[in-house]
């Protein structure tokens, strides 16, 4: 049986991106923006620990808001890694993948082909690319809609309670 890896998107799933931008998308380019975001829900570390205790490997797969050639890429990457270390210390730094904006999350499935790869993301385009690459997608939804082709959850704690 293949091992399962759960990849968690950061912005909009773990961290409250919408609240952080305060109506102005330019805020995401400011130094320290990602580090200043609030967690989407209480108890994230405990929920993810519970998933890990169930034998599920958990990784964060997030994108910077610029490509890797942009000078801001490193700053955004450090902010995201530091945010995860602060709010979800049970995730090892080696289990954090930060892509440039021009990269496809689906490309990660190829690298982990021997595993069952599941992506929790709030952005449908990422889920489409992921599923087209052979992974399984779960939509982190603001509200449940019947016409979505993916399992939908409102809170990450549902993954631990209901199982993958």
């Amino acid at each position: 049986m293949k091992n399962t890896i759960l990849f968690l998107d950061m912005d909009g799933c773990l961290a409250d991106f919408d609240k952080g931008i305060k109506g102005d998308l330019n805020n995401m380019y400011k130094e320290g923006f990602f580090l200043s975001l609030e967690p989407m829900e209480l108890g994230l570390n405990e929920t993810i620990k519970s998933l890990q205790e169930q034998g599920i490997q958990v990784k964060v797969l997030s994108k910077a808001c610029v490509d890797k050639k942009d000078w801001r890429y490193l700053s955004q990457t450090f902010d995201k890694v530091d945010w995860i270390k602060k709010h979800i210390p049970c995730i090892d730094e080696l289990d954090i993948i930060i892509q440039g904006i021009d990269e496809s999350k689906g490309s990660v499935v190829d690298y982990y082909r021997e595993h069952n790869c599941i992506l929790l993301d709030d952005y449908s385009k990422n889920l489409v690319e992921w599923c087209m690459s052979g992974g399984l997608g779960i939509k982190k939804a603001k509200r449940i809609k019947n016409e979505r082709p993916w399992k939908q959850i409102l809170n990450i704690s549902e993954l631990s309670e209901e199982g993958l």
Side-chain angles (χ1 to χ4, degrees):
M1 184 170 127
K2 291 183 174 182
N3 291 334
T4 297
I5 302 177
L6 173 64
F7 294 85
L8 301 172
D9 174 52
M10 182 175 158
D11 308 317
C13 290
L14 300 173
D16 197 336
F17 181 84
D18 289 344
K19 187 174 180 182
I21 60 170
K22 299 177 179 123
D24 183 357
L25 281 175
N26 289 316
N27 286 333
M28 71 181 156
Y29 299 108
K30 294 178 180 173
E31 192 167 333
F33 169 77
F34 292 101
L35 188 55
S36 72
L37 297 177
E38 295 178 17
M40 288 291 288
E41 57 190 87
L42 296 174
L44 279 175
N45 193 61
E46 291 75 20
T47 297
I48 292 168
K49 260 191 197 175
S50 172
L51 290 165
Q52 292 169 330
E53 289 166 359
Q54 295 172 38
I56 298 166
Q57 188 175 359
V58 180
K59 295 181 179 286
V60 172
L61 176 57
S62 188
K63 289 187 179 190
C65 294
V66 295
D67 66 41
K68 286 185 174 179
K69 296 174 189 154
D70 189 298
W71 63 271
R72 297 170 290 191
Y73 173 79
L74 282 178
S75 175
Q76 290 183 5
T77 297
F78 289 136
D79 277 359
K80 286 178 176 254
V81 169
D82 287 345
W83 188 95
I84 294 161
K85 287 163 67 174
K86 176 181 178 183
H87 295 284
I88 314 170
C90 68
I91 294 181
D92 190 279
E93 193 169 340
L94 295 173
D95 288 326
I96 301 170
I97 303 165
I98 309 294
Q99 296 180 313
I101 191 95
D102 55 332
E103 295 179 89
S104 168
K105 287 188 177 182
S107 66
V108 173
V109 176
D110 289 333
Y111 187 79
Y112 293 97
R113 182 66 60 196
E114 339 56 72
H115 298 84
N116 290 321
C117 296
I118 301 171
L119 173 65
L120 174 69
D121 206 308
D122 63 318
Y123 188 44
S124 295
K125 181 179 183 278
N126 291 335
L127 292 168
V128 168
E129 292 172 353
W130 188 265
C131 292
M132 288 179 65
S133 297
L136 174 69
I138 300 174
K139 177 80 172 185
K140 172 71 168 63
K142 293 179 183 167
R143 63 188 174 285
I144 302 299
K145 293 183 181 176
N146 291 334
E147 65 272 9
R148 289 189 175 134
W150 304 284
K151 175 180 178 173
Q152 303 169 68
I153 63 167
L154 299 173
N155 299 298
I156 292 177
S157 59
E158 293 175 49
L159 294 175
S160 181
E161 295 162 4
E162 297 175 11
L164 297 176

